[in-house]
Amino acid sequence: MPTAEFLFAIWGLLLTPGPTNTLLALSGASAGLRRSTRLMPAELAAYLLVVTPLALFGADLLARQPLAASAVKLAAAGWVAFLAVKLWRVEAGRAQVEAITPRRVFVTTLLNPKGLIIGLTLLPHGAAPVFLLHLGLFAASVLMVAAIWAGAGGMMKRDTAEPPLVYRRAAACWLALLAAALVGAALRA
């Protein structure tokens, strides 16, 4: 895939609302963009931990283990459902900025199905001459998109220490829908 097409596909996929982007936006709304930047290395590390081995060895592995993709989708659905419940249960006036931690972003990104798509279909195979270039562009894109989502959340921030309860509830509903979609995808596979 030519580099321009690769970037277009990566940006389109990364900008799509999902569990990691939801957490980044909520962090931006709670803590602002500057304090949310501490989450970005966790997201990048998790994505690289997933996509690099998939680009190098993934197609062969999944050909031999067809249930592996379904198991990953179910694990991701469970984690996203857990996040939805946690966000829903936060009471007004009791939310804490620490609720969205680098660890939570790392685990959420690690289980994010976008990593499978990127590692198995968008990144070139590890032996391809453009592999390192595309991997570097992917890493830069992850950080750029994380800043966009955290910044968008920061624009929602008011003079309060936390985002309005409606933001958390809307995010919880969105995550619940994503979890249901992941279960459906896993069952269809």
Side-chain angles (χ1 to χ4, degrees), residues 18-106:
T20 302
N21 291 339
T22 301
L23 291 179
L24 289 167
L26 283 173
S27 177
S30 298
L33 174 60
R34 179 177 290 155
R35 289 184 61 200
S36 297
T37 58
R38 69 182 176 38
L39 304 173
M40 295 174 192
E43 178 186 11
L44 179 60
Y47 265 133
L48 290 175
L49 190 61
V50 171
V51 303
T52 304
L54 285 175
L56 295 173
F57 315 109
D60 295 336
L61 175 68
L62 289 180
R64 287 181 270 138
Q65 301 292 331
L67 294 178
S70 292
V72 169
K73 288 176 189 170
L74 288 174
W79 178 255
V80 172
F82 168 78
L83 289 175
V85 170
K86 293 281 281 185
L87 284 174
W88 187 267
R89 286 186 172 174
V90 171
E91 296 176 24
R94 301 195 69 200
Q96 296 179 5
V97 173
E98 290 77 31
I100 301 172
T101 63
R103 180 180 178 186
R104 184 166 285 170
V105 169
F106 179 82

Side-chain angles (χ1 to χ4, degrees), residues 91-135:
E91 296 176 24
R94 301 195 69 200
Q96 296 179 5
V97 173
E98 290 77 31
I100 301 172
T101 63
R103 180 180 178 186
R104 184 166 285 170
V105 169
F106 179 82
V107 172
T108 300
T109 305
L110 200 62
L111 295 171
N112 194 330
K114 289 179 186 179
L116 290 174
I117 296 167
I118 293 163
L120 293 173
T121 63
L122 296 180
L123 275 174
H125 188 275
V130 295
F131 174 74
L132 289 178
L133 170 66
H134 284 201
L135 188 63

Side-chain angles (χ1 to χ4, degrees), residues 140-160:
S141 297
V142 166
L143 296 174
M144 177 192 71
V145 170
I148 289 169
W149 276 96
M155 289 191 304
M156 293 186 293
K157 185 176 179 167
R158 303 279 188 248
D159 293 329
T160 61

